[in-house]
Amino acid sequence: MFVFAFVFVCARCDAELTAPLSEVCLPAHAHQHYGNGIQLPVLMEPGTFAVDPDPWGPPWRPWDEITPGEAEARGIHAPVLTLSGGAPGATVVAPGDTRGTRLIPGKDSGYCCGLDGADGPNMACEACGLAVATRIDDCSLWQAVWLAPDAVRRRRVEGAGAAALTWTELLAEDRSTPPYEPIATWGGRFGSDHFWSWSPRWEAAAGRALAHLLAASEGRPVTVPDGLVADVFRRTLDTLLPTGGPRRRVALAGPGLPAPGADVDIHLVPVHPQTGRNWTPDSPAAPVPAPQVPIPLAVWQWMAFPRSDLPVPASGSLPTDVLRDAPLPPRPAYLFRADPRTFRNTLARLPAVHSPWLREIHDNLAQHVSAGLF
């Protein structure tokens, strides 16, 4: 598969609105709302874009206005808070990759720290004035520009294209995301501040993967491997699934790992960041592990190949009468919790949610959040 570069142009006057960009899959945290008063970074890496196949943006319709037939037609099998009445196919880019645009006066809706895009497109083509995009940079939202699908079109950059990276090349690039990181806040007494937390990217990725894990469990208890996989999933799975009966075994599978054993029932596999496809074995003769639970490569890679907490290389051991005086690495002060919004939105789109036991989990999500599972 080849990855080509495109520029996005105004549908009315053909003016260029972006730098040349290559397509990647939509991040799991694209629509995440994280905390309150949090400064989240830019959603997309420079030089990339992603397309949301689902409708996005206003007008927003509450669930009680959606008929069962309309919901099923949109691939929604359980209630969600709201559904977008916008057009499908919105393209998201980094704000720094936009060109030839300006903010629209008066289109400045936001909670307190920036733009939230609640009242629709707030960026116009500088050449002709057509509303073409929505800038989002409010607190607790990922900074991004969403190009309106009915106001822009893509133009391929001739001669700019390359083959998608192989799994071996991706591992060598080391695109992994650490499981915890400093989170910046606004509004402190002395200005901005930060605290150490589980990564928002991990929480969103876990919310999506947890929905697939529960569906793959078929309502039976599961066993997950020790380490980060257990930190992320074990407590919630042990609480939501029954304790008796035969257990289904979960294991990581993917590039650089030995083939999982025949006793593995559910495989946690990475998603290719460019193509959006789940990992499959290189050998045509090797069976594709199933069922597969997709995890973004940046998270999967750290789960599969965890790093040492040592800040500098070291060898050997300390003498028995010497105490290490280096500070412990910063860690979150609470147990891991998957992102509930991502979990609910993913679970509602899985046909398995029609099962009574899984629908009960979906409908009782608020209680599970209050109990600290999410």
Side-chain angles (χ1 to χ4, degrees), residues 1-9 14 16 18-23 49 152-163:
M1 176 177 179
F2 277 83
V3 178
F4 296 101
F6 300 89
V7 294
F8 287 84
V9 301
D14 219 31
E16 292 190 359
T18 70
L21 307 172
S22 297
E23 186 170 8
F49 73 93
V152 303
R153 57 186 180 84
R154 68 172 79 175
R155 176 192 295 157
R156 182 172 158 183
V157 177
E158 294 300 328

Side-chain angles (χ1 to χ4, degrees), residues 294-333:
I295 298 181
L297 175 65
V299 173
W300 179 94
Q301 190 169 359
W302 199 287
M303 286 183 171
F305 310 103
R307 315 300 170 79
S308 168
D309 288 327
L310 291 176
V312 295
S315 62
S317 60
L318 289 174
T320 56
D321 58 344
V322 175
L323 298 178
R324 181 181 295 276
D325 59 359
L328 293 173
R331 296 291 300 268

